[in-house]
Each structure stands twice: as structure tokens, then as C-alpha cells.
């Protein structure tokens, strides 16, 4: 009996918490709508065009940031062809440190 009562109390508490969350989201949305409508009314009264709220992204700056030196290498310039000073070429076709596996059938 006590567990059933506790279960109902938890359900009612969760329902109330959900309703409070929904009401707060609704109030925040209505507040943003009210601010936008007041801004549009003020623009109409002063003869200015009503412009929407937008989020501007400068795509060129983003492209230049990631195209300069690769990802995560900000501040480094890409090497030019004349910047390599000394290179030791090695032959990588011959492998000597690998032992073949033996597969035994079961």
C-alpha cells in the first residue's frame, strides 16, 4: 500500500515538474514574441523597415581559418617548396622485422 502511494506521489511530482517546464518554455517564447512585436511596432512608427532577427555567419573567414594550416594547427603557415632543407630518403620496400604467423587448424 505504501509503495503504491509513493509511486503515485512520484508520478504526480513528475507531472507537475513537466507542466512547470512547459509553462516556462511557453512564457519565454511569449516574451521573445512580445519583444519582437514591440520592435516591429517601433520600426513602423519611426518609418524604418522591419528587419528580421538573423544570425550572420562570415563563411569566408571560417574557410580561411580552416584552410590555412589544416585543422587544429592555427598559427602555422603551410610549408613552401623551398623550405625543406634536408631529407634522408630510405627504401621502405624491404621489411625485415616481421615474423609470419603460423595458423594451426583445429
Amino acid at each position: 500500500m505504501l509503495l503504491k502511494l509513493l509511486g503515485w506521489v512520484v508520478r504526480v511530482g513528475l507531472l507537475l515538474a513537466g507542466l512547470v517546464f512547459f509553462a516556462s518554455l511557453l512564457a519565454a517564447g511569449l516574451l521573445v514574441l512580445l519583444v519582437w512585436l514591440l520592435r516591429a511596432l517601433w520600426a513602423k512608427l519611426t518609418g524604418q523597415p522591419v528587419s528580421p532577427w538573423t544570425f550572420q555567419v562570415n563563411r569566408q573567414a571560417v574557410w580561411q581559418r580552416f584552410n590555412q594550416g589544416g585543422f587544429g594547427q592555427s598559427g602555422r603557415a603551410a610549408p613552401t617548396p623551398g623550405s625543406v632543407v634536408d631529407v634522408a630518403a630510405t627504401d621502405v620496400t624491404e621489411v625485415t622485422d616481421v615474423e609470419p604467423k603460423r595458423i594451426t587448424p583445429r
Side-chain angles (χ1 to χ4, degrees), residues 18-104:
L19 288 175
V20 166
F21 180 71
F22 177 72
S24 66
L25 283 179
L26 188 64
L30 288 174
L31 181 67
V32 169
L33 178 66
L34 179 68
V35 168
W36 189 84
L37 287 174
L38 286 174
R39 185 175 162 263
L41 177 66
W42 182 255
K44 285 286 186 185
L45 288 175
T46 58
Q48 298 173 356
V50 180
S51 60
W53 283 337
T54 58
F55 182 72
Q56 300 291 330
V57 176
N58 187 357
R59 292 188 181 119
Q60 184 179 6
V62 173
W63 173 255
Q64 287 175 351
R65 177 178 171 203
F66 287 108
N67 195 25
Q68 271 181 341
F71 294 100
Q73 297 178 1
S74 61
R76 271 196 220 167
T80 59
S83 66
V84 178
V85 177
D86 189 19
V87 175
T90 57
D91 184 22
V92 292
T93 58
E94 185 178 334
V95 179
T96 58
D97 62 345
V98 178
E99 295 180 15
K101 285 186 176 180
R102 291 190 182 192
I103 301 174
T104 57

